Amino acid sequence: MKNLLGFACFVLLAQGVGGLLSEFTDGWWTPWTVVHKIGFLHGYEVYVCVLLIVLGVAVGAASDTVGKKRT
């Protein structure tokens, strides 16, 4: 479970950071981001990318707590 959450954390962070880079570099990173390919998110890309980064950090924190053993 910890590995799955770690992978989800990586994907969310990569998509969020990649989306912000795409916005600030006028589309240079667009082939690697999913946010810019979804039509109904047009105009809200920055907000969605920031949300993806926040979710990635939250999932990363959750993966750390899942891996700890309670004694």
Side-chain angles (χ1 to χ4, degrees), residues 3-70:
N3 291 335
L4 179 66
L5 289 175
F7 178 72
C9 169
F10 170 74
V11 170
L12 288 169
L13 286 174
Q15 288 297 311
V17 171
L20 286 178
L21 284 173
S22 177
E23 282 294 315
F24 297 131
T25 60
D26 293 328
W28 188 73
W29 282 83
T30 302
W32 294 299
T33 59
V34 176
V35 174
H36 293 85
K37 294 181 181 8
I38 301 174
F40 66 88
L41 295 176
H42 182 67
Y44 299 102
E45 290 94 351
V46 174
Y47 302 115
V48 172
C49 291
V50 170
L51 179 66
L52 287 174
I53 292 171
V54 170
L55 286 175
V57 170
V59 169
S63 72
D64 286 342
T65 59
V66 167
K68 292 183 181 178
K69 293 183 179 181
R70 295 181 186 174

